[in-house]
C-alpha cells in the first residue's frame, strides 16, 4: 500500500477518505465559498497539499455530478499533479468556468482524483505502414 502525506490548508473541509471496494477515485472538496457568474473563471481551492509517492502523479477530474449540480466545467479537462508539487503551500486547485450563475460552498464535493504510476520510457519507430486493418476513422466505433 502506498502512503500519501497530506497537509490540510483549511480546517473547515472534511478529511479525505478512501472508500475501499466502492471506487478508487477520492473526492476533493471546495475549501472556500464561491459565487460565480455565468462566464466567470475561478481557481477553486481544494484545501490540500500532498506529497505523492515517488514515481506517481495525480489525475484530477470533475465528479460526474459536478456540471449538473454546479454548472461548472474544469477548464483543463484533467489536471495532472506530479510528485514534485509537494511543498507546504502547493495547494491543489480546480480551474473552473461557470456556464451559469452558481454558488459553491465549503465541503461541496466538486472533483475527484486518483494516483497513477508514471508512464514508462517510450521510443518511437517511424514506419510507412502499420500493417493493420483501418477501423474507419475518428468516431467510427459502433458504425456498421
Amino acid at each position: 500500500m502506498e502512503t500519501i502525506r497530506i497537509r490540510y490548508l483549511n480546517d473547515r473541509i472534511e478529511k479525505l477518505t478512501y472508500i475501499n471496494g466502492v471506487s478508487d477515485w477520492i473526492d476533493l472538496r471546495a475549501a472556500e465559498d464561491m459565487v460565480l457568474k455565468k462566464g466567470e473563471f475561478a481557481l477553486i481551492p481544494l484545501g490540500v497539499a500532498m506529497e505523492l509517492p515517488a514515481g506517481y502523479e495525480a489525475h484530477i477530474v470533475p465528479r460526474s455530478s459536478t456540471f449538473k449540480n454546479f454548472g461548472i466545467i474544469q477548464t483543463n479537462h484533467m489536471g495532472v499533479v506530479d510528485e514534485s508539487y509537494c511543498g507546504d503551500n502547493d495547494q491543489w486547485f480546480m480551474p473552473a468556468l461557470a456556464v451559469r450563475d452558481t454558488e459553491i460552498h465549503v465541503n461541496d464535493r466538486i472533483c475527484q482524483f486518483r494516483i497513477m504510476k508514471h508512464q514508462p520510457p517510450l521510443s518511437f519507430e517511424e514506419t510507412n505502414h502499420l500493417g493493420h486493418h483501418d477501423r474507419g476513422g475518428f468516431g467510427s466505433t459502433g458504425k456498421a
Side-chain angles (χ1 to χ4, degrees):
M1 176 181 295
E2 298 290 346
T3 299
I4 296 176
R5 295 179 63 211
I6 184 168
R7 179 172 185 243
Y8 290 93
L9 302 167
N10 179 322
D11 61 0
R12 298 187 320 155
I13 60 171
E14 291 182 28
K15 306 291 188 206
L16 298 186
T17 59
Y18 179 74
I19 305 170
N20 199 10
V22 176
S23 175
D24 60 356
W25 290 86
I26 300 163
D27 289 339
L28 293 163
R29 298 169 181 274
E32 289 180 15
D33 291 327
M34 304 193 80
V35 175
L36 297 173
K37 299 292 183 195
K38 180 179 179 177
E40 284 186 331
F41 168 82
L43 287 174
I44 302 171
L46 302 173
V48 295
M50 296 187 211
E51 180 186 342
L52 298 175
Y56 284 84
E57 62 194 26
H59 295 177
I60 302 171
V61 299
R63 297 180 75 240
S64 60
S65 61
T66 297
F67 184 77
K68 174 182 65 92
N69 291 341
F70 302 104
I72 59 173
I73 56 173
Q74 185 171 335
T75 58
N76 59 350
H77 304 290
M78 181 182 85
V80 178
V81 178
D82 67 35
E83 77 267 30
S84 71
Y85 190 71
C86 59
D88 282 342
N89 295 301
D90 285 339
Q91 179 168 207
W92 291 17
F93 290 87
M94 179 188 183
L97 178 68
V99 298
R100 62 174 164 81
D101 292 355
T102 190
E103 291 185 15
I104 299 165
H105 301 286
V106 171
N107 271 317
D108 283 344
R109 296 179 300 158
I110 58 169
C111 56
Q112 58 192 338
F113 81 100
R114 70 185 309 183
I115 65 167
M116 305 289 293
K117 285 188 176 184
H118 287 212
Q119 178 171 280
L122 302 172
S123 65
F124 295 94
E125 178 184 327
E126 189 172 342
T127 183
N128 290 325
H129 302 285
L130 296 175
H132 302 283
H133 176 73
D134 290 337
R135 287 187 35 192
F138 181 80
S140 63
T141 301
K143 289 186 178 181

